[in-house]
Amino acid sequence: MKRPDFLIPYEATEFRKITFVTMKSAHFILALSILALASPFAYASDPSPLQDFCVAINDPKDGVFVNGKFCRDPKLAKADDFYYSGLNVPRNTSNPVGSTVTPVNVAQIPGLNTLGISLARIDFAPNGGLNPPHTHPRATEILLVVEGTLYVGFVTSNTDNRLITKVLYPGDVFVFPQGLVHFQFNVGNTNAVAFAGLSSQNPGVITIANAVFGSNPPINPDLLVKAFQLDKNVVKNLQSNFWWPNN
């Protein structure tokens, strides 16, 4: 049976609509497929560095150094790989800054390797014991005060350079964001003790004064004169000092 002529334009129009919708659906599905395939790469990132640097080599014979530590066969692990003793013992704070940091990281507990966490005990002398301004390039720090009174703080990044501080008492907790310069200062007349948790097996520490004025070899004094707007004799005097490594 022959179709009426008036239906032919209508059917052609409907066919074009169906074709258009089908093509749009195909494009949409294709776009979703591409996004699904790309998403693992979009959210992927390089592993965080666990030391200051790791220079690439072309020939393994030149030496191999992994990001972190080599792993022991899990079947050979023992309890001592996950154990450390002695954080209850007060440390000697008779030094120029009046503080001593006792780290417990992968160097002390091999089982911390790849776990992204470490610990430290910090002892402060009375009346001004100081953990000088420093930064942890690979970790955020959370500090718990167990004895004494500490004035703590950190400085935000450029260009604000805002100082955020707090006086802490036993039981108080404070967080220092990763990479920001921070400090702890004993404002009490008794010893102070704090414990710090850090979000890396090897957080690293850069004490600002030690790095700038105690580097080896020394930074060119003319550079520091301009950077800090100081007299050259003052810079040379600072560079001649022994900068105590309390960490």
Side-chain angles (χ1 to χ4, degrees):
M1 179 179 177
K2 184 180 179 182
R3 288 175 297 172
D5 291 342
F6 70 86
L7 286 178
I8 295 175
Y10 171 78
E11 291 176 345
T13 301
E14 289 303 306
F15 176 77
R16 285 195 295 268
K17 286 182 179 179
I18 293 170
T19 303
F20 177 71
V21 171
T22 303
M23 290 180 66
K24 283 191 67 175
S25 300
H27 290 161
F28 180 70
I29 293 170
L30 178 61
L32 282 178
S33 301
I34 292 171
L35 285 174
L37 289 171
S39 60
F41 301 101
Y43 289 99
S45 63
D46 291 335
S48 298
L50 295 171
Q51 59 271 330
D52 287 344
F53 49 80
C54 186
V55 179
I57 57 174
N58 294 320
D59 188 346
K61 291 185 295 184
D62 294 338
V64 176
F65 190 94
V66 298
N67 185 29
K69 302 283 186 180
F70 288 104
C71 298
R72 175 182 294 163
D73 184 339
K75 295 177 182 177
L76 301 178
K78 54 188 184 298
D80 283 347
D81 293 330
F82 304 90
Y83 172 79
Y84 178 89
S85 179
L87 276 189
N88 61 315
V89 179
R91 266 48 180 188
N92 183 6
T93 56
S94 298
N95 57 59
V97 295
S99 74
T100 296
V101 177
T102 305
V104 183
N105 54 42
V106 70
Q108 289 76 36
I109 302 181
L112 285 176
N113 193 32
T114 76
L115 298 185
I117 193 170
S118 60
L119 182 70
R121 172 183 173 129
I122 314 167
D123 289 87
F124 300 85
N127 302 308
L130 171 68
N131 193 9
H134 62 282
T135 179
H136 301 292
R138 294 181 287 276
T140 291
E141 175 181 344
I142 184 167
L143 185 83
L144 168 66
V145 177
V146 295
E147 292 181 28
T149 306
L150 294 179
Y151 170 68
V152 307
F154 63 86
V155 180
T156 64
S157 56
N158 297 354
T159 58
D160 288 343
N161 297 130
R162 188 159 65 98
L163 175 63
I164 296 176
T165 65
K166 189 77 174 175
V167 176
L168 304 182
Y169 303 94
D172 290 346
V173 173
F174 198 81
V175 173
F176 305 99
Q178 180 173 342
L180 297 187
V181 175
H182 60 281
F183 59 85
Q184 298 105 27
F185 184 60
N186 187 0
V187 293
N189 55 14
T190 63
N191 292 323
V193 179
F195 289 89
L198 299 117
S199 61
S200 172
Q201 69 181 51
N202 182 25
V205 60
I206 301 171
T207 305
I208 306 305
N210 300 39
V212 174
F213 296 108
S215 66
N216 183 26
I219 297 174
N220 187 321
D222 293 331
L223 186 155
L224 298 178
V225 165
K226 191 164 188 177
F228 290 94
Q229 299 295 292
L230 295 173
D231 181 87
K232 193 168 186 176
N233 290 327
V234 173
V235 169
K236 287 186 173 181
N237 181 58
L238 289 170
Q239 289 183 311
S240 67
N241 289 339
F242 174 72
W243 295 95
W244 183 265
N246 72 323
N247 280 268

